[in-house]
Amino acid sequence: MVTPARPRVGVLALQGDVREHLRALSAVGADGRAVRRAEQLDDLDGLVIPGGESTTIGKLAATFGLFEPLRECVREGLPVFGSCAGMILLAERMTGGPDQPRIGGLDMTVRRNAFGRQVDSFEGPVAFAGLGDPFHAVFIRAPWVEEVGPAAEVLARLGASGPGSDAEAGSAGRIVAVRQGHLLATAFHPELTGDVRVHRLFVEMLKGRRTR
């Protein structure tokens, strides 16, 4: 059985911008639904892991017995999109703080809180491969990608005219969006912008795939 015309996309609803992702998914023709239990993963065509606090999301995922089912979803090829904290949870490697349990799957190293603290949050245009006009990206205590392995594709880097605070010094050219097969991740929060092009890209990734 292949993906239906209106794919079923779960949003991991442990913490973060769950409603915002559900709204964006609906706008691009997906049937979004909140996911809090392992059995709710069974009939999905795709999954979004929202931004929030990656350590908290990880602890809650462990408490609810979700870590291994989520890892199995990734291993089985379920398309997954992670934004901000979701990017950290999908990374195979992490730096910039104590290690923490992650789902993994994306061959990359992320640096937690790379742009600084909450007060260093910023917005700006990002050239995103395949989306045409620059995407107005919202970075909130965001990670960046230190390096990617050969299997991962860089979709976006921060421009040379990026933010200029001390915490953000040296941020120009940093990798902020990556795709690897059925996995997609952004360091920023597309769900907060009203621009649904990243969500549309993710839903396009679901088409033609075999359902779980």
Side-chain angles (χ1 to χ4, degrees):
M1 192 167 125
V2 296
T3 308
R6 190 172 178 84
R8 299 157 299 202
V9 181
V11 178
L12 191 64
L14 301 177
Q15 194 216 30
D17 302 326
V18 178
R19 285 182 300 179
E20 292 83 354
H21 276 295
L22 290 172
R23 188 160 48 237
L25 289 166
S26 178
V28 296
D31 175 17
R33 54 187 71 176
V35 170
R36 297 183 180 85
R37 300 188 305 275
E39 57 267 31
Q40 293 175 310
L41 297 166
D42 289 343
D43 63 346
L44 296 180
D45 303 305
L47 177 71
V48 174
I49 303 175
E53 213 292 318
S54 62
T55 304
T56 300
I57 295 174
K59 287 179 178 177
L60 290 171
T63 298
F64 288 98
L66 279 163
F67 252 114
E68 191 49 42
L70 288 168
R71 287 173 176 147
E72 184 177 352
C73 286
V74 169
R75 287 195 297 267
E76 290 181 347
L78 181 73
V80 180
F81 165 40
S83 64
C84 195
M87 168 183 262
I88 295 170
L89 289 165
L90 288 175
E92 288 286 345
R93 300 170 296 279
M94 192 194 83
T95 187
D99 203 5
Q100 63 185 77
R102 292 182 306 284
I103 300 163
L106 269 171
D107 185 11
M108 64 181 182
T109 303
V110 296
R111 176 175 289 276
R112 282 186 62 193
N113 301 330
F115 292 101
R117 299 173 298 168
Q118 189 88 10
V119 296
D120 300 307
S121 300
F122 63 96
E123 302 179 19
V126 169
F128 196 115
L131 294 190
D133 294 336
F135 193 93
H136 186 79
V138 177
F139 294 85
I140 302 173
R141 212 170 52 172
W144 68 42
V145 179
E146 292 275 3
E147 54 86 24
V148 298
E153 175 189 6
V154 175
L155 297 180
R157 294 177 183 269
L158 199 64
S161 59
S165 76
D166 289 344
E168 295 147 356
S171 62
R174 294 294 183 177
I175 300 168
V176 293
V178 172
R179 178 178 178 180
Q180 182 177 329
H182 61 293
L183 303 177
L184 174 69
T186 63
F188 52 87
H189 293 260
E191 75 280 5
L192 297 179
T193 65
D195 184 338
V196 297
R197 286 180 291 165
V198 173
H199 290 82
R200 182 174 291 114
L201 169 66
F202 180 60
V203 169
E204 287 292 323
M205 289 168 54
L206 312 182
K207 293 182 177 176
R209 298 187 68 90
R210 186 169 295 279
T211 58
R212 298 185 80 230

